[in-house]
Amino acid sequence: MQLLKIAVIGGGAAGFFGAIRAASANPDAIVTLLEAGRQPLTKVRISGGGRCNVTHACFDPALLVQYYPRGGKALHGAFNRFQPRDTVAWFESRGVKLKTESDGRMFPITDNSETIVDCLYEAAKEVGVKIRIGMSVVGIKVQEQLPITNDPLPITHRFEIELKAGGSLQCDRILLATGSNPIGYQIAQSLGHQIEPPVPSLFTFNIKDKRLEDLAGVSVDSARLRLPIAGKTALEQTGALLVTHWGLSGPAVLKLSAWGARLLHDCNYQTTLVINWLPQSNRENLHQQLLAVRSQLARRQIAANCPVLLPRRLWQQLVTYVGIDAEQKWAELSNKVLNQLIQELCEGKYQIQGKGVFKEEFVTCGGVRLNEVNFKTMESRIVPGLFFAGEILDIDGVTGGFNFQSAWTTAWLAARGMCDQGAN
């Protein structure tokens, strides 16, 4: 009886997990993982500053999908089948315990990504996955084949994978898990799939502004950011904000860059960012608060006496920006300048002049269109026997372990789909 041959293209988180799951689900299958680079699991190694943010402690699929700017709706059913709780259980069953940090991110208790890398390698070895490093794929041919008569579930398609080094590999099922590598998109497109154009997600904002000068390292616990892009619904995010040498970073910026990835790309990362430094206060309450301060602290210097929850250096920069000098006292503050200060605190406008990067964790918005994939099995609706997992799909999450979780989930479903079709 002919054995089922499965090829996994891509040696990242999704590729490894899919290969492991497929080989363990069907021990008789021949599972081969092809990785173009010399070192697989690159993103796993660098994630979380080398600690590997494996997943996020959100165990309700309805809440979990809200962290995905693209793909949340398609993932809802998928997370009901395999979610963070299952990820935690899988790693812990292999001796890798995870811990949860205050913001919900989950890491190995070793705080070392090599723990996760070693676990995946060892699991792949145990179930017999053939790992072939430095094997670049240049194309896939689909060739019709007569049913194998002694198979209870006839294999009607066979693939031929063309290798850059020459030669080819024959297989019955393919899991395409190439991440944001262009070759994955090219292969999917050559087989009839449509690709949502890939653009960056999860990045910082380049802003040169005198209000932020010499403030690198200053952070606020909560700020509300808004992108009032012309002709589009304004996007908002609230969260911690960090001033950097090049502009702004922090969770609020990263979340906004993810939700606004395509809009920001379309305007070439040149647009206005509106910052509310005090989202916990409304303008009227803030106005009354500052009027009271003007009366109660009349003889004190404005720059030296910050009455709101802001870092002192940031307060001094904003005060100077509206024309208040270092010696000016609260009693000398005119209503006009008071209103200008409130405007700066609640609705300061800054010009984004480009995008930076978030460490080395490059995430892409775009990929294979989701309506062309069956999310119960992750099989292509266009090419039977072709499956997808991970970032090659038009799915991306905000920072915090969500992108890894979609990789684990889609890979698990794809592996099950491949083996259910071909198990003897």
mmCIF file of all heavy atoms in Angstrom, residues 303-339:
data_model
loop_
_atom_site.group_PDB
_atom_site.id
_atom_site.type_symbol
_atom_site.label_atom_id
_atom_site.label_comp_id
_atom_site.label_asym_id
_atom_site.label_seq_id
_atom_site.Cartn_x
_atom_site.Cartn_y
_atom_site.Cartn_z
ATOM 1 N N ALA A 303 5.982 75.766 34.602
ATOM 2 C CA ALA A 303 6.845 74.687 34.095
ATOM 3 C C ALA A 303 7.306 73.752 35.206
ATOM 4 O O ALA A 303 7.490 72.554 34.989
ATOM 5 C CB ALA A 303 8.047 75.273 33.374
ATOM 6 N N ALA A 304 7.490 74.283 36.404
ATOM 7 C CA ALA A 304 8.027 73.491 37.506
ATOM 8 C C ALA A 304 6.952 72.764 38.303
ATOM 9 O O ALA A 304 7.278 71.955 39.182
ATOM 10 C CB ALA A 304 8.848 74.376 38.437
ATOM 11 N N ASN A 305 5.691 73.066 38.029
ATOM 12 C CA ASN A 305 4.597 72.475 38.806
ATOM 13 C C ASN A 305 3.575 71.836 37.867
ATOM 14 O O ASN A 305 2.657 72.506 37.366
ATOM 15 C CB ASN A 305 3.936 73.537 39.681
ATOM 16 C CG ASN A 305 4.837 74.008 40.799
ATOM 17 O OD1 ASN A 305 4.854 73.431 41.876
ATOM 18 N ND2 ASN A 305 5.597 75.064 40.537
ATOM 19 N N CYS A 306 3.754 70.554 37.623
ATOM 20 C CA CYS A 306 2.862 69.818 36.715
ATOM 21 C C CYS A 306 1.677 69.260 37.510
ATOM 22 O O CYS A 306 1.861 68.426 38.405
ATOM 23 C CB CYS A 306 3.622 68.679 36.051
ATOM 24 S SG CYS A 306 2.581 67.621 35.025
ATOM 25 N N PRO A 307 0.462 69.687 37.171
ATOM 26 C CA PRO A 307 -0.712 69.260 37.950
ATOM 27 C C PRO A 307 -1.425 68.032 37.372
ATOM 28 O O PRO A 307 -2.463 67.623 37.888
ATOM 29 C CB PRO A 307 -1.624 70.487 37.868
ATOM 30 C CG PRO A 307 -1.351 71.020 36.488
ATOM 31 C CD PRO A 307 0.104 70.731 36.193
ATOM 32 N N VAL A 308 -0.881 67.460 36.313
ATOM 33 C CA VAL A 308 -1.527 66.304 35.671
ATOM 34 C C VAL A 308 -0.561 65.123 35.665
ATOM 35 O O VAL A 308 0.631 65.273 35.924
ATOM 36 C CB VAL A 308 -1.967 66.639 34.226
ATOM 37 C CG1 VAL A 308 -3.084 67.671 34.224
ATOM 38 C CG2 VAL A 308 -0.785 67.114 33.395
ATOM 39 N N LEU A 309 -1.087 63.922 35.349
ATOM 40 C CA LEU A 309 -0.273 62.707 35.370
ATOM 41 C C LEU A 309 0.541 62.585 34.081
ATOM 42 O O LEU A 309 0.209 61.835 33.168
ATOM 43 C CB LEU A 309 -1.168 61.481 35.556
ATOM 44 C CG LEU A 309 -1.851 61.371 36.921
ATOM 45 C CD1 LEU A 309 -2.817 60.192 36.934
ATOM 46 C CD2 LEU A 309 -0.819 61.221 38.032
ATOM 47 N N LEU A 310 1.594 63.372 34.024
ATOM 48 C CA LEU A 310 2.520 63.337 32.889
ATOM 49 C C LEU A 310 3.943 63.401 33.412
ATOM 50 O O LEU A 310 4.198 64.032 34.449
ATOM 51 C CB LEU A 310 2.280 64.529 31.951
ATOM 52 C CG LEU A 310 1.149 64.470 30.935
ATOM 53 C CD1 LEU A 310 1.191 65.719 30.079
ATOM 54 C CD2 LEU A 310 1.247 63.227 30.061
ATOM 55 N N PRO A 311 4.900 62.794 32.717
ATOM 56 C CA PRO A 311 6.301 62.973 33.106
ATOM 57 C C PRO A 311 6.663 64.458 33.071
ATOM 58 O O PRO A 311 6.239 65.197 32.167
ATOM 59 C CB PRO A 311 7.063 62.191 32.029
ATOM 60 C CG PRO A 311 6.079 61.179 31.531
ATOM 61 C CD PRO A 311 4.755 61.864 31.583
ATOM 62 N N ARG A 312 7.447 64.884 34.038
ATOM 63 C CA ARG A 312 7.771 66.306 34.170
ATOM 64 C C ARG A 312 8.424 66.860 32.904
ATOM 65 O O ARG A 312 8.084 67.961 32.447
ATOM 66 C CB ARG A 312 8.694 66.515 35.368
ATOM 67 C CG ARG A 312 9.073 67.981 35.609
ATOM 68 C CD ARG A 312 9.960 68.109 36.822
ATOM 69 N NE ARG A 312 9.254 67.681 38.026
ATOM 70 C CZ ARG A 312 8.472 68.503 38.753
ATOM 71 N NH1 ARG A 312 8.313 69.749 38.371
ATOM 72 N NH2 ARG A 312 7.885 68.056 39.836
ATOM 73 N N ARG A 313 9.343 66.109 32.311
ATOM 74 C CA ARG A 313 10.046 66.608 31.118
ATOM 75 C C ARG A 313 9.087 66.805 29.955
ATOM 76 O O ARG A 313 9.199 67.777 29.195
ATOM 77 C CB ARG A 313 11.165 65.644 30.730
ATOM 78 C CG ARG A 313 12.341 65.649 31.705
ATOM 79 C CD ARG A 313 13.256 64.460 31.476
ATOM 80 N NE ARG A 313 13.777 64.422 30.119
ATOM 81 C CZ ARG A 313 14.280 63.347 29.548
ATOM 82 N NH1 ARG A 313 14.305 62.193 30.214
ATOM 83 N NH2 ARG A 313 14.756 63.400 28.323
ATOM 84 N N LEU A 314 8.122 65.914 29.798
ATOM 85 C CA LEU A 314 7.136 66.070 28.734
ATOM 86 C C LEU A 314 6.264 67.280 28.997
ATOM 87 O O LEU A 314 5.992 68.084 28.084
ATOM 88 C CB LEU A 314 6.271 64.809 28.635
ATOM 89 C CG LEU A 314 5.097 64.856 27.641
ATOM 90 C CD1 LEU A 314 5.603 65.109 26.228
ATOM 91 C CD2 LEU A 314 4.297 63.559 27.692
ATOM 92 N N TRP A 315 5.832 67.453 30.236
ATOM 93 C CA TRP A 315 5.030 68.628 30.609
ATOM 94 C C TRP A 315 5.781 69.916 30.269
ATOM 95 O O TRP A 315 5.208 70.842 29.678
ATOM 96 C CB TRP A 315 4.702 68.561 32.104
ATOM 97 C CG TRP A 315 4.181 69.841 32.705
ATOM 98 C CD1 TRP A 315 4.873 70.759 33.439
ATOM 99 C CD2 TRP A 315 2.839 70.356 32.603
ATOM 100 N NE1 TRP A 315 4.069 71.804 33.811
ATOM 101 C CE2 TRP A 315 2.819 71.583 33.319
ATOM 102 C CE3 TRP A 315 1.681 69.901 32.005
ATOM 103 C CZ2 TRP A 315 1.656 72.353 33.437
ATOM 104 C CZ3 TRP A 315 0.525 70.666 32.122
ATOM 105 C CH2 TRP A 315 0.514 71.878 32.829
ATOM 106 N N GLN A 316 7.043 69.968 30.605
ATOM 107 C CA GLN A 316 7.833 71.179 30.349
ATOM 108 C C GLN A 316 7.963 71.454 28.856
ATOM 109 O O GLN A 316 7.910 72.618 28.424
ATOM 110 C CB GLN A 316 9.208 71.038 31.006
ATOM 111 C CG GLN A 316 9.147 71.066 32.534
ATOM 112 C CD GLN A 316 10.467 70.736 33.198
ATOM 113 O OE1 GLN A 316 11.359 70.144 32.583
ATOM 114 N NE2 GLN A 316 10.609 71.098 34.474
ATOM 115 N N GLN A 317 8.113 70.398 28.051
ATOM 116 C CA GLN A 317 8.200 70.584 26.603
ATOM 117 C C GLN A 317 6.899 71.144 26.035
ATOM 118 O O GLN A 317 6.908 72.042 25.189
ATOM 119 C CB GLN A 317 8.528 69.260 25.917
ATOM 120 C CG GLN A 317 9.931 68.741 26.156
ATOM 121 C CD GLN A 317 10.972 69.436 25.306
ATOM 122 O OE1 GLN A 317 11.272 70.619 25.552
ATOM 123 N NE2 GLN A 317 11.532 68.751 24.337
ATOM 124 N N LEU A 318 5.768 70.630 26.491
ATOM 125 C CA LEU A 318 4.473 71.086 25.988
ATOM 126 C C LEU A 318 4.185 72.514 26.441
ATOM 127 O O LEU A 318 3.637 73.322 25.678
ATOM 128 C CB LEU A 318 3.355 70.137 26.454
ATOM 129 C CG LEU A 318 3.453 68.696 25.951
ATOM 130 C CD1 LEU A 318 2.307 67.857 26.503
ATOM 131 C CD2 LEU A 318 3.455 68.639 24.425
ATOM 132 N N VAL A 319 4.559 72.805 27.673
ATOM 133 C CA VAL A 319 4.373 74.162 28.204
ATOM 134 C C VAL A 319 5.191 75.160 27.392
ATOM 135 O O VAL A 319 4.697 76.229 26.998
ATOM 136 C CB VAL A 319 4.778 74.189 29.697
ATOM 137 C CG1 VAL A 319 5.015 75.621 30.171
ATOM 138 C CG2 VAL A 319 3.703 73.524 30.552
ATOM 139 N N THR A 320 6.436 74.815 27.116
ATOM 140 C CA THR A 320 7.302 75.703 26.323
ATOM 141 C C THR A 320 6.750 75.872 24.912
ATOM 142 O O THR A 320 6.787 76.984 24.350
ATOM 143 C CB THR A 320 8.729 75.115 26.251
ATOM 144 O OG1 THR A 320 9.249 74.994 27.572
ATOM 145 C CG2 THR A 320 9.637 75.997 25.408
ATOM 146 N N TYR A 321 6.203 74.800 24.343
ATOM 147 C CA TYR A 321 5.702 74.831 22.969
ATOM 148 C C TYR A 321 4.569 75.844 22.785
ATOM 149 O O TYR A 321 4.454 76.470 21.727
ATOM 150 C CB TYR A 321 5.224 73.434 22.567
ATOM 151 C CG TYR A 321 4.750 73.337 21.141
ATOM 152 C CD1 TYR A 321 5.653 73.319 20.077
ATOM 153 C CD2 TYR A 321 3.385 73.281 20.843
ATOM 154 C CE1 TYR A 321 5.218 73.235 18.770
ATOM 155 C CE2 TYR A 321 2.944 73.189 19.532
ATOM 156 C CZ TYR A 321 3.862 73.172 18.507
ATOM 157 O OH TYR A 321 3.413 73.087 17.209
ATOM 158 N N VAL A 322 3.725 76.014 23.800
ATOM 159 C CA VAL A 322 2.602 76.963 23.672
ATOM 160 C C VAL A 322 3.000 78.377 24.070
ATOM 161 O O VAL A 322 2.147 79.274 24.136
ATOM 162 C CB VAL A 322 1.373 76.501 24.489
ATOM 163 C CG1 VAL A 322 0.858 75.178 23.966
ATOM 164 C CG2 VAL A 322 1.674 76.412 25.988
ATOM 165 N N GLY A 323 4.300 78.596 24.351
ATOM 166 C CA GLY A 323 4.781 79.958 24.582
ATOM 167 C C GLY A 323 4.908 80.366 26.033
ATOM 168 O O GLY A 323 5.054 81.559 26.331
ATOM 169 N N ILE A 324 4.869 79.427 26.934
ATOM 170 C CA ILE A 324 5.024 79.731 28.357
ATOM 171 C C ILE A 324 6.501 79.619 28.711
ATOM 172 O O ILE A 324 7.112 78.560 28.514
ATOM 173 C CB ILE A 324 4.196 78.750 29.218
ATOM 174 C CG1 ILE A 324 2.709 78.868 28.879
ATOM 175 C CG2 ILE A 324 4.434 78.988 30.700
ATOM 176 C CD1 ILE A 324 1.848 77.798 29.509
ATOM 177 N N ASP A 325 7.104 80.699 29.235
ATOM 178 C CA ASP A 325 8.533 80.632 29.548
ATOM 179 C C ASP A 325 8.752 80.002 30.920
ATOM 180 O O ASP A 325 7.821 79.803 31.701
ATOM 181 C CB ASP A 325 9.202 82.006 29.445
ATOM 182 C CG ASP A 325 8.671 82.999 30.470
ATOM 183 O OD1 ASP A 325 8.547 82.621 31.646
ATOM 184 O OD2 ASP A 325 8.386 84.149 30.088
ATOM 185 N N ALA A 326 10.005 79.694 31.203
ATOM 186 C CA ALA A 326 10.355 78.920 32.398
ATOM 187 C C ALA A 326 10.000 79.639 33.698
ATOM 188 O O ALA A 326 9.744 78.989 34.714
ATOM 189 C CB ALA A 326 11.848 78.585 32.377
ATOM 190 N N GLU A 327 9.966 80.960 33.674
ATOM 191 C CA GLU A 327 9.719 81.723 34.901
ATOM 192 C C GLU A 327 8.260 82.103 35.091
ATOM 193 O O GLU A 327 7.873 82.583 36.164
ATOM 194 C CB GLU A 327 10.571 83.014 34.895
ATOM 195 C CG GLU A 327 12.067 82.785 34.695
ATOM 196 C CD GLU A 327 12.667 81.968 35.827
ATOM 197 O OE1 GLU A 327 12.255 82.169 36.989
ATOM 198 O OE2 GLU A 327 13.535 81.108 35.549
ATOM 199 N N GLN A 328 7.441 81.895 34.068
ATOM 200 C CA GLN A 328 6.054 82.361 34.144
ATOM 201 C C GLN A 328 5.273 81.626 35.220
ATOM 202 O O GLN A 328 5.383 80.418 35.380
ATOM 203 C CB GLN A 328 5.364 82.184 32.793
ATOM 204 C CG GLN A 328 3.993 82.853 32.700
ATOM 205 C CD GLN A 328 3.455 82.847 31.282
ATOM 206 O OE1 GLN A 328 4.204 82.656 30.333
ATOM 207 N NE2 GLN A 328 2.159 83.064 31.137
ATOM 208 N N LYS A 329 4.462 82.403 35.983
ATOM 209 C CA LYS A 329 3.683 81.835 37.077
ATOM 210 C C LYS A 329 2.248 81.565 36.646
ATOM 211 O O LYS A 329 1.753 82.133 35.671
ATOM 212 C CB LYS A 329 3.720 82.784 38.276
ATOM 213 C CG LYS A 329 5.131 82.965 38.862
ATOM 214 C CD LYS A 329 5.115 83.927 40.018
ATOM 215 C CE LYS A 329 6.495 83.960 40.690
ATOM 216 N NZ LYS A 329 7.580 84.287 39.778
ATOM 217 N N TRP A 330 1.595 80.690 37.400
ATOM 218 C CA TRP A 330 0.220 80.309 37.067
ATOM 219 C C TRP A 330 -0.705 81.515 37.015
ATOM 220 O O TRP A 330 -1.608 81.588 36.173
ATOM 221 C CB TRP A 330 -0.305 79.291 38.088
ATOM 222 C CG TRP A 330 0.123 77.876 37.796
ATOM 223 C CD1 TRP A 330 1.123 77.180 38.384
ATOM 224 C CD2 TRP A 330 -0.443 77.008 36.804
ATOM 225 N NE1 TRP A 330 1.240 75.928 37.837
ATOM 226 C CE2 TRP A 330 0.283 75.789 36.869
ATOM 227 C CE3 TRP A 330 -1.472 77.117 35.876
ATOM 228 C CZ2 TRP A 330 -0.001 74.697 36.045
ATOM 229 C CZ3 TRP A 330 -1.763 76.047 35.050
ATOM 230 C CH2 TRP A 330 -1.032 74.850 35.125
ATOM 231 N N ALA A 331 -0.483 82.476 37.885
ATOM 232 C CA ALA A 331 -1.350 83.669 37.915
ATOM 233 C C ALA A 331 -1.246 84.474 36.623
ATOM 234 O O ALA A 331 -2.170 85.231 36.283
ATOM 235 C CB ALA A 331 -0.985 84.553 39.107
ATOM 236 N N GLU A 332 -0.140 84.310 35.889
ATOM 237 C CA GLU A 332 0.096 85.086 34.674
ATOM 238 C C GLU A 332 -0.417 84.382 33.420
ATOM 239 O O GLU A 332 -0.262 84.880 32.305
ATOM 240 C CB GLU A 332 1.602 85.345 34.523
ATOM 241 C CG GLU A 332 2.194 86.102 35.702
ATOM 242 C CD GLU A 332 3.717 86.059 35.707
ATOM 243 O OE1 GLU A 332 4.303 85.265 34.953
ATOM 244 O OE2 GLU A 332 4.309 86.832 36.486
ATOM 245 N N LEU A 333 -1.046 83.204 33.594
ATOM 246 C CA LEU A 333 -1.509 82.409 32.452
ATOM 247 C C LEU A 333 -2.842 82.944 31.933
ATOM 248 O O LEU A 333 -3.860 82.937 32.638
ATOM 249 C CB LEU A 333 -1.676 80.936 32.877
ATOM 250 C CG LEU A 333 -2.095 79.953 31.788
ATOM 251 C CD1 LEU A 333 -1.028 79.866 30.701
ATOM 252 C CD2 LEU A 333 -2.353 78.574 32.389
ATOM 253 N N SER A 334 -2.845 83.429 30.697
ATOM 254 C CA SER A 334 -4.081 83.963 30.101
ATOM 255 C C SER A 334 -5.014 82.842 29.690
ATOM 256 O O SER A 334 -4.599 81.689 29.528
ATOM 257 C CB SER A 334 -3.739 84.811 28.871
ATOM 258 O OG SER A 334 -3.251 83.971 27.833
ATOM 259 N N ASN A 335 -6.276 83.181 29.543
ATOM 260 C CA ASN A 335 -7.258 82.176 29.105
ATOM 261 C C ASN A 335 -6.909 81.629 27.729
ATOM 262 O O ASN A 335 -7.117 80.444 27.444
ATOM 263 C CB ASN A 335 -8.665 82.782 29.094
ATOM 264 C CG ASN A 335 -9.217 82.983 30.490
ATOM 265 O OD1 ASN A 335 -8.821 82.283 31.426
ATOM 266 N ND2 ASN A 335 -10.123 83.947 30.645
ATOM 267 N N LYS A 336 -6.386 82.498 26.865
ATOM 268 C CA LYS A 336 -6.040 82.068 25.511
ATOM 269 C C LYS A 336 -4.952 80.992 25.544
ATOM 270 O O LYS A 336 -5.067 79.943 24.890
ATOM 271 C CB LYS A 336 -5.566 83.272 24.697
ATOM 272 C CG LYS A 336 -5.149 82.901 23.269
ATOM 273 C CD LYS A 336 -4.674 84.138 22.508
ATOM 274 C CE LYS A 336 -4.224 83.748 21.102
ATOM 275 N NZ LYS A 336 -3.746 84.937 20.334
ATOM 276 N N VAL A 337 -3.896 81.242 26.314
ATOM 277 C CA VAL A 337 -2.793 80.284 26.376
ATOM 278 C C VAL A 337 -3.227 79.035 27.139
ATOM 279 O O VAL A 337 -2.807 77.910 26.811
ATOM 280 C CB VAL A 337 -1.551 80.920 27.018
ATOM 281 C CG1 VAL A 337 -0.425 79.895 27.166
ATOM 282 C CG2 VAL A 337 -1.074 82.101 26.184
ATOM 283 N N LEU A 338 -4.093 79.215 28.130
ATOM 284 C CA LEU A 338 -4.635 78.059 28.852
ATOM 285 C C LEU A 338 -5.351 77.116 27.886
ATOM 286 O O LEU A 338 -5.162 75.887 27.927
ATOM 287 C CB LEU A 338 -5.600 78.528 29.941
ATOM 288 C CG LEU A 338 -6.359 77.425 30.687
ATOM 289 C CD1 LEU A 338 -5.402 76.550 31.464
ATOM 290 C CD2 LEU A 338 -7.417 78.021 31.602
ATOM 291 N N ASN A 339 -6.155 77.677 27.006
ATOM 292 C CA ASN A 339 -6.871 76.859 26.013
ATOM 293 C C ASN A 339 -5.912 76.194 25.027
ATOM 294 O O ASN A 339 -6.141 75.061 24.593
ATOM 295 C CB ASN A 339 -7.899 77.716 25.271
ATOM 296 C CG ASN A 339 -9.085 78.066 26.149
ATOM 297 O OD1 ASN A 339 -9.451 77.299 27.035
ATOM 298 N ND2 ASN A 339 -9.686 79.226 25.908
#
